[in-house]
Amino acid sequence: MNVYAIFADHVREAVAELARQGQLGEGRTPEGLDLGRIVVEPPRDPTHGDLATNAAMVLAKDAGMKPRDLAERIAAKLAAVPRVAKVDVAGPGFINLTLDAAFWPVVLAAILRAGRDFGRSTMGDNVPVNVEYVSANPTGPMHVGHCRGAVFGDAMASLLAFAGYKVTREYYINDAGAQVDVLARSVFLRYREAATGEAAEIPDGLYPGDYLVPVGQELAGMHGGAFLEAPESEWLPVFRSFAIGAMMVMIRADLAALGIEFDVFFSERSLTVGADRVGLMIEQLRRSGEVYQGRLPPPKGAPIEDWEDREQSLFRSTDFGDDVDRPLVKSDGSYTYFAGDIAYHKDKFDRGFRRMIDVWGADHGGYVKRMQAAVKAVTGGQASLDVELCQLVRLYRNGEPVRMSKRAGSFVTLREVVDEVGRDAVRFMMLFRKNDAPLDFDLAKVIEQSRENPVFYVQYAHARAHSILRKAKEQIASLPETAEVYAHAPLERLDDPGELGLLARLAAWPRLVEQAAAAREPHRIAFYLHDLASDFHGQWNRGNELPHLRFIMENDRELTLARLALVHGVAAVLASGLLVLGVEAVQELK
């Protein structure tokens, strides 16, 4: 039950009715008005009412009227809508609505019947969406920087699914580039170390982390010393394949510790095994004119990493807003990363995805334009690519930077962070700031049991709700067993301003879900949950100070039922939001 959507429909119908009755400017018809621009939202000042709409402001020109005059006519129509107690026109034409107090119990009853599904939307209309995130190179354990993109991508995917999209979560395994050959050479040194018993010297340019020691030991156990004197061409493919597999086992375990699972793991190498889909893609673009043979001009200012002074296959990315055309084939005949990425996104398109969302690190910001251009070209404009960038995470402990890992040597691993503070703290705090803003993560502060720790504050609100319900059942054994039954309680007894404020906050949840999904901003969910928790804790504190506001009134069963219904509603929405974020809705804090 989306209150704002319901009243947006009422506003649109009011405007359409005015047009049908000839009460707008001469010749104006409902078809000539863009009613999609109408927004109904909470007023900035709560004292102005429960809802506000911009209808008169955005439609005045189309209606051929002054905004204030149009607002007055719309207001007169809205005053007749059931459950509307008062309509005011403010300023140049804003319309504020105050709802009848009897409306809020209807919302609460809907929450109690829907439970955790309250707020679930059909906005997405089951449209397939591919969300690709993490996609870390399979060369070692995931670090804390990967953690933010992993949590953000996973929460965004859950949010889109909650909003009605058909979401596929995908991980792109970069197993075809030079970095996996470096991995294989690094593993070979660990293999030789295990096979000979002589400590390995790890030269610059290879991966020094201790996480490769057990991989080398496994290979020594499998092959003994068979590869010690073999040429690189003989052992490199064997070691590369084994090492990639071992790294992916490690990465999957790291992701599982965060509660993240993928529907698809896509191998970059698969694009050129068997049919050369990268080459086929290049020829497709050549035939359509987006790829040509040419030379790149020398770079001006900062060097362009993929510039070579030679005739080569270039993609016309400047036709799509990029700064320079991009090469697709290196001088040695191998494909550029860009070429592989185009072929990969074409594969997504061929699998039926017309909407794609990639989550990248902020250091890939310069890659966005060319990739969006490529997707537009290779799909004939039938698919879109949205890219969400995640900024850096700065790790602290009690205000002091944390820089080194016992396991990886040069960075802090994701697993170390999760093991120290727990999955819920990591997930919530990674989402308690917009993804494109830097994030300071203090390992000590995120486990504090205080109001200053957002994840504790929200989980405590859910646990407090269940504590109230348990105590009520202990005191009044005849209370209903399930939340749905409370929908029939005398909810009209909820008339305290704090209770009405909680009801209004709960009613905003469906709108918030759709807004956050449309903007691809799961941090809005975390902010909303924190605000709801604050309202709930505040009402509980008021009951401590004023006994007549307590949730359990032993001498007034009807009021107790109504207030416990409100507690059930708060618990349901908190649980719903935490589920979207992938955070446990605990019923007790230990």
Side-chain angles (χ1 to χ4, degrees):
M1 183 181 185
N2 188 330
V3 174
Y4 300 91
I6 290 170
F7 278 89
D9 286 342
H10 286 314
V11 175
R12 283 190 282 270
E13 176 54 33
V15 175
E17 181 66 17
L18 288 172
R20 287 192 294 269
Q21 294 175 350
Q23 295 190 43
L24 302 183
E26 184 177 351
R28 265 60 176 191
T29 64
E31 293 73 25
L33 301 172
D34 183 4
L35 302 183
R37 291 185 292 162
I38 292 174
V39 173
V40 173
E41 58 190 355
R44 292 183 180 180
D45 185 345
T47 63
H48 291 170
D50 299 309
L51 308 172
T53 180
N54 64 346
M57 305 294 291
V58 299
L59 296 178
K61 184 176 181 180
D62 291 345
M65 299 177 66
K66 294 180 180 179
R68 179 85 188 194
D69 293 341
L70 177 58
E72 294 286 356
R73 295 189 183 185
I74 296 173
K77 293 289 184 182
L78 293 176
V81 172
R83 306 295 189 187
V84 172
K86 185 174 68 168
V87 184
D88 295 311
V89 176
F94 293 105
I95 303 171
N96 297 316
L97 292 84
T98 300
L99 303 183
D100 191 304
F103 179 79
W104 301 112
V106 176
V107 178
L108 180 54
I111 296 172
L112 296 170
R113 286 191 292 268
R116 294 187 181 191
D117 282 334
F118 179 71
R120 190 177 291 278
S121 174
T122 59
M123 178 182 81
D125 198 26
N126 211 35
V127 170
V129 179
N130 182 287
V131 182
E132 180 211 328
Y133 53 107
V134 188
S135 298
N137 289 338
T139 54
M142 297 181 65
H143 57 67
V144 70
H146 297 132
C147 181
R148 189 174 192 186
V151 171
F152 170 79
D154 196 56
M156 181 175 60
S158 294
L159 172 59
L160 291 171
F162 198 72
Y165 292 92
K166 185 180 181 181
V167 176
T168 295
R169 292 168 159 90
E170 187 150 322
Y171 186 114
Y172 183 52
I173 306 173
N174 298 107
D175 56 359
Q179 78 281 352
V180 290
D181 288 343
V182 174
L183 172 69
R185 295 185 182 106
S186 305
V187 167
F188 180 78
L189 295 182
R190 296 301 188 179
Y191 155 77
R192 189 171 64 191
E193 181 179 65
T196 65
E198 298 177 4
E201 287 287 332
I202 311 296
D204 291 343
L206 298 187
Y207 299 113
D210 288 346
Y211 59 88
L212 293 180
V213 171
V215 182
Q217 291 171 342
E218 282 190 67
L219 284 164
M222 293 167 59
H223 301 290
F227 288 111
L228 289 175
E229 303 301 326
E232 181 180 283
S233 60
E234 189 174 319
W235 57 257
L236 184 68
V238 176
F239 279 49
R240 181 176 57 210
S241 177
F242 187 87
I244 290 171
M247 293 303 98
M248 287 309 301
V249 168
M250 182 186 303
I251 287 171
R252 286 176 189 250
D254 290 345
L255 292 168
L258 265 180
I260 294 175
E261 295 182 357
F262 285 89
D263 302 307
V264 176
F265 282 87
F266 188 98
S267 163
E268 178 186 4
R269 189 174 292 273
S270 71
L271 292 169
T272 51
V273 173
D276 181 1
R277 287 184 279 168
V278 182
L280 292 172
M281 174 275 301
I282 292 174
E283 289 310 308
Q284 173 191 328
L285 291 177
R286 195 184 303 277
R287 289 192 300 271
S288 61
E290 278 97 355
V291 168
Y292 67 101
Q293 292 299 115
R295 290 178 178 269
L296 285 173
K300 297 177 181 179
I304 299 173
E305 60 183 27
D306 50 11
W307 179 77
E308 293 180 83
D309 188 14
R310 64 182 177 87
E311 187 171 274
Q312 55 187 312
S313 296
L314 299 173
F315 172 67
R316 297 184 188 276
S317 52
T318 51
D319 287 355
F320 300 89
D322 199 359
D323 302 322
V324 64
D325 290 345
R326 302 292 173 175
L328 300 177
V329 184
K330 300 178 184 177
S331 56
D332 64 3
S334 63
Y335 299 122
T336 62
Y337 283 112
F338 182 48
D341 284 345
I342 300 174
Y344 169 50
H345 284 79
K346 182 180 185 304
D347 182 88
K348 292 183 185 181
F349 176 74
D350 291 342
R351 284 184 274 145
F353 294 106
R354 301 296 180 267
R355 183 171 181 189
M356 311 170 197
I357 303 174
D358 289 359
V359 178
W360 299 346
D363 56 334
H364 288 74
Y367 200 64
V368 174
K369 274 188 181 180
R370 76 188 76 164
M371 201 63 241
Q372 290 177 327
V375 169
K376 185 175 181 180
V378 82
T379 67
Q382 295 182 57
S384 65
L385 170 66
D386 295 314
V387 178
E388 297 294 335
L389 300 177
C390 288
Q391 272 289 356
L392 298 175
V393 177
R394 295 183 289 251
L395 200 62
Y396 296 86
R397 182 179 285 108
N398 288 318
E400 295 296 321
V402 178
R403 301 188 185 279
M404 304 297 284
S405 165
K406 296 177 182 177
R407 187 181 182 203
S410 59
F411 56 82
V412 179
T413 68
L414 177 155
R415 195 59 171 275
E416 288 170 322
V417 174
V418 175
D419 287 347
E420 181 168 340
V421 303
R423 184 185 78 184
D424 290 343
V426 171
R427 290 191 66 114
F428 195 94
M429 293 309 298
M430 289 288 170
L431 296 165
F432 202 60
R433 192 166 180 82
K434 197 173 186 302
N435 56 289
D436 59 2
L439 173 67
D440 293 342
F441 189 99
D442 195 301
L443 294 164
K445 291 183 179 179
V446 300
I447 57 175
E448 287 181 358
Q449 293 196 347
S450 73
R451 179 173 181 168
E452 307 309 312
N453 177 6
V455 61
F456 169 78
Y457 194 59
V458 173
Q459 286 187 314
Y460 183 34
H462 187 266
R464 170 168 274 172
H466 280 273
S467 174
I468 292 168
L469 296 172
R470 285 193 300 272
K471 289 178 180 177
K473 191 66 175 174
E474 290 169 4
Q475 294 179 31
I476 310 171
S478 62
L479 287 175
E481 296 290 338
T482 61
E484 295 92 330
V485 179
Y486 281 91
H488 304 289
L491 304 180
E492 67 279 359
R493 294 289 303 275
L494 299 171
D495 55 8
D496 173 73
E499 294 166 346
L500 295 175
L502 267 173
L503 287 171
R505 182 78 69 185
L506 294 174
W509 173 235
R511 173 177 179 268
L512 190 280
V513 167
E514 293 190 350
Q515 286 185 316
R520 302 183 300 281
E521 293 183 346
H523 72 274
R524 297 192 189 195
I525 305 296
F527 290 177
Y528 169 85
L529 294 178
H530 193 267
D531 289 341
L532 175 57
S534 179
D535 291 347
F536 183 61
H537 288 309
Q539 189 65 9
W540 187 89
N541 290 331
R542 291 183 70 216
N544 262 355
E545 298 169 3
L546 304 170
H548 71 281
L549 292 180
R550 290 176 181 169
F551 291 107
I552 304 171
M553 304 292 293
E554 294 185 10
N555 297 323
D556 192 335
R557 180 181 174 84
E558 285 194 349
L559 185 55
T560 297
L561 286 171
R563 288 179 175 170
L564 293 180
L566 179 58
V567 173
H568 271 293
V570 170
V573 173
L574 285 171
S576 179
L578 289 169
L579 181 65
V580 169
L581 300 185
V583 176
E584 184 182 2
V586 296
Q587 296 191 12
E588 289 185 86
L589 287 174
K590 299 178 182 179

